[in-house]
Amino acid sequence: MKDPLARATSRPPATLGEGCVRRYDPEALDETSGCEFRGAAELWRRWQDEQARGEKPQPK
């Protein structure tokens, strides 16, 4: 085997930027890249509500 990584089954998604501003390309992310989080919008809204009320976020 010339390249041991050639048989790897996963690859990191494409990125944008460099250095400390490097981030994943949102256009390249989908459910096949393992980044789908269906509860993200609800979690974000709940966290914002708790912050607005001055509450400490509680794990659920």
Side-chain angles (χ1 to χ4, degrees):
M1 181 184 306
K2 293 181 182 181
D3 181 10
L5 298 179
R7 295 186 64 185
T9 59
S10 64
R11 302 262 187 244
T15 58
L16 299 172
E18 295 183 22
C20 62
V21 295
R22 188 172 191 174
R23 64 203 179 281
Y24 290 121
D25 180 1
E27 298 292 320
L29 300 176
D30 60 17
E31 59 276 350
T32 62
S33 60
C35 64
E36 183 179 359
F37 179 36
R38 295 178 189 192
E42 172 61 26
L43 180 61
W44 179 246
R45 187 175 51 74
R46 191 173 73 212
W47 184 84
Q48 288 179 318
D49 290 345
E50 290 171 354
Q51 292 296 308
R53 291 191 306 264
E55 297 177 5
K56 189 174 187 180
Q58 301 295 319
K60 298 198 181 197

